[in-house]
Amino acid sequence: MEGLGLSNNNNNNNNNKPLSKLSVTSTPVSTPPDTPRSASPLAKVPTSKRVNVLEEYEKRSGEKPKLNLVIIGHVDAGKSTLMGHVLYSLGHVNDRVMKKYERDAQKVGKGSFAFAWVLDETGEERDRGITMDIAMNSFETNHRSFTLLDAPGHRDFIPNMISGTAQADAAILVVDASTGGFESGFIANGQTKEHAILARSLGVQQMIIAVNKLDMMNWDQDRYNEIIEKLGNFLTQAGFRKSNLSYIPVSGLTGENLIKKSELVPWYQGPCLIDLIDGFEPPVRQLDKPLRIGVTDFFKGGIGSSSGVSAGGTIDAGHVQVGEQLMVVPGGEMGIVKALQVSDESSNWGAAGDSVLMTLSGLDIMNLSSGCVLCNPLSPVPVTSTFTAQIVVFDLKVPITNGYPVILHHQSLDEPASIIKLECILDKSTGEIIKRNPRHLSKGMTAKVKIQLTNRPIPLESFKDNKQLGRIMLRKGGETVAAGVVDEILTFGS
């Protein structure tokens, strides 16, 4: 995993193939050989009603590319206020609703939280003044279409932050520039550092650093330079390329530098925030891989007035269409897609990178759980309790030894596990083995380890087969101790 000290020589040879020639039913290497095979998932869809998704995707590629954008940073950095103000300025919230938010916020003594309420919709979030779960919205720039994921900053809700960031293609790291504000997020136990490390570990490569609340410092250029120098050094050490990082001074409360250049900051010569966002490069999507949809939300009832159960998540790989039969893993239960929404818009198909909500028939809600995977029944995702992984070790109080207990985070799942064997220490740049069977792992080391789940097997895939489903985070005592990629699935079975 480039930038995290994990060598990755598995080049995707399909990147240059025309979409119409990409295979959509290839079986991943990690699928066990005795996996049962069934009829085509589209067997019950009349030929005349089937969608050639690859052709439709090529047509859509001429439109604005779709990206998933996550907003991260230390608690109280002003993430929700910043993006709430952006959405209001773009016309996604009308004046009448905004005035109501302002009145309601003033009534409870939180007048400055009005823009945050655009994203923080639950009563508890508004009462506590913090984001607790992932808030989702959509917006467009001149050349891009975005699904916005507002992640919680409080350390108590890191699992929700990981779940949201795992779906992201790019990030905005919001930093509090006020006196003591930056320092509280950047020193030990601050979430500025941890969020940045988590984002990079989860595959985010492009990031904007929004230095917020600089109006409280009278737009002090020295304060801005101090912050970006410290952050810049840290972020490059964490694996971000300098060319993929942008910095901007902003005020989420007053709106300076959000959708137009501010005259209050004459020393800043760069573009405004929305133009920086418009410059994010869309990633290469895994259309040629078997269908994988990590479920992040589910509920009883269908889209609109339809019946059934509904499941939402981001398509990590492959594509899906209405009428298609899907398998729920773990469990192996089958359901048929009856209705489909992509970014809250009705559609009859979705492809890798899309945020989807689907209504499924023939499926009991008891068969769904957060973290389960919807997939092509011809190529189901492996379910495993033991695997090897290449990891990078972060800041540790106690070195990692055989039997080291952790909480394993994988998309929206967090499960107890143990590092049962330290196989070898690897060279960060070449991936060559430096030492076999080490006695311990300490900060900064790259290693191959064997991990075993404690309670139950989970859906998992090797990184070479699926980059999204092949990433893991390891935490202990409320801190992230390591991150890495799945190397090999060792056991199969649910």
Side-chain angles (χ1 to χ4, degrees), residues 42-52 321:
L42 294 172
K44 296 184 179 181
V45 182
T47 304
S48 60
K49 293 186 177 181
R50 295 182 188 179
V51 177
N52 187 324
Q321 61 181 279

Side-chain angles (χ1 to χ4, degrees), residues 368-390:
L368 293 173
S369 61
S370 183
C372 68
V373 178
L374 299 174
C375 52
N376 184 329
L378 297 181
S379 299
V381 61
V383 177
T384 184
S385 58
T386 310
F387 60 94
T388 59
Q390 290 187 40

Side-chain angles (χ1 to χ4, degrees), residues 24-25 36-47 50-51 291 319 321-327 334-337 375-379:
V24 297
T25 57
R37 294 290 180 260
S38 58
S40 165
L42 294 172
K44 296 184 179 181
V45 182
T47 304
R50 295 182 188 179
V51 177
L291 177 67
H319 47 75
Q321 61 181 279
V322 172
E324 187 168 348
Q325 186 180 53
L326 305 183
M327 175 185 285
M334 300 287 189
I336 294 177
V337 181
C375 52
N376 184 329
L378 297 181
S379 299

Side-chain angles (χ1 to χ4, degrees), residues 17 37 78-79 94 202 241 249 311 394 438:
K17 292 182 181 180
R37 294 290 180 260
K79 300 182 294 297
N94 62 45
L202 290 164
R241 293 181 180 175
F394 299 145

Side-chain angles (χ1 to χ4, degrees), residues 288-309:
D288 59 323
K289 300 287 187 178
L291 177 67
R292 303 286 187 257
I293 305 173
V295 174
T296 56
D297 190 24
F298 61 96
F299 53 88
K300 193 170 185 178
I303 298 171
S305 58
S306 60
S307 58
V309 297

Side-chain angles (χ1 to χ4, degrees), residues 8 10 27-31 286 289 292 381-384 387-390 410 458-472 484-490 492:
N8 176 25
N10 300 310
T27 303
V29 174
S30 52
T31 301
Q286 299 184 91
K289 300 287 187 178
R292 303 286 187 257
V381 61
V383 177
T384 184
F387 60 94
T388 59
Q390 290 187 40
H410 178 254
I458 63 171
L460 203 64
E461 208 149 14
S462 68
F463 184 72
K464 68 178 181 293
D465 289 332
N466 188 301
K467 288 180 170 53
Q468 296 303 112
L469 286 172
R471 298 185 191 273
I472 58 169
V485 298
V486 178
D487 185 52
E488 182 182 4
I489 307 294
L490 298 179
F492 297 93

Side-chain angles (χ1 to χ4, degrees), residues 265-420:
V265 201
W267 47 264
Y268 173 71
Q269 300 300 314
C272 64
L273 179 63
I274 201 67
D275 289 341
L276 286 176
I277 293 172
D278 192 46
F280 279 133
E281 288 295 326
V284 176
R285 302 298 186 189
Q286 299 184 91
L287 289 176
D288 59 323
K289 300 287 187 178
L291 177 67
R292 303 286 187 257
I293 305 173
V295 174
T296 56
D297 190 24
F298 61 96
F299 53 88
K300 193 170 185 178
I303 298 171
S305 58
S306 60
S307 58
V309 297
S310 295
T314 298
I315 303 179
D316 295 317
H319 47 75
V320 65
Q321 61 181 279
V322 172
E324 187 168 348
Q325 186 180 53
L326 305 183
M327 175 185 285
V328 182
V329 175
E333 301 295 328
M334 300 287 189
I336 294 177
V337 181
K338 286 298 184 183
L340 178 67
Q341 288 183 346
V342 175
S343 299
D344 297 327
E345 297 289 335
S346 181
S347 178
N348 56 4
W349 64 276
D354 289 343
S355 294
V356 296
L357 178 65
M358 298 178 296
T359 296
L360 302 167
S361 65
L363 193 65
D364 193 301
I365 194 169
M366 298 299 290
N367 299 130
L368 293 173
S369 61
S370 183
C372 68
V373 178
L374 299 174
C375 52
N376 184 329
L378 297 181
S379 299
V381 61
V383 177
T384 184
S385 58
T386 310
F387 60 94
T388 59
Q390 290 187 40
I391 64 170
V392 173
V393 180
F394 299 145
D395 209 355
L396 286 173
K397 294 177 181 177
V398 179
I400 294 175
T401 55
N402 287 330
Y404 189 86
V406 293
I407 300 297
L408 183 142
H409 290 262
H410 178 254
Q411 296 203 316
S412 56
L413 279 175
D414 50 284
E415 293 282 333
S418 294
I419 299 176
I420 60 174

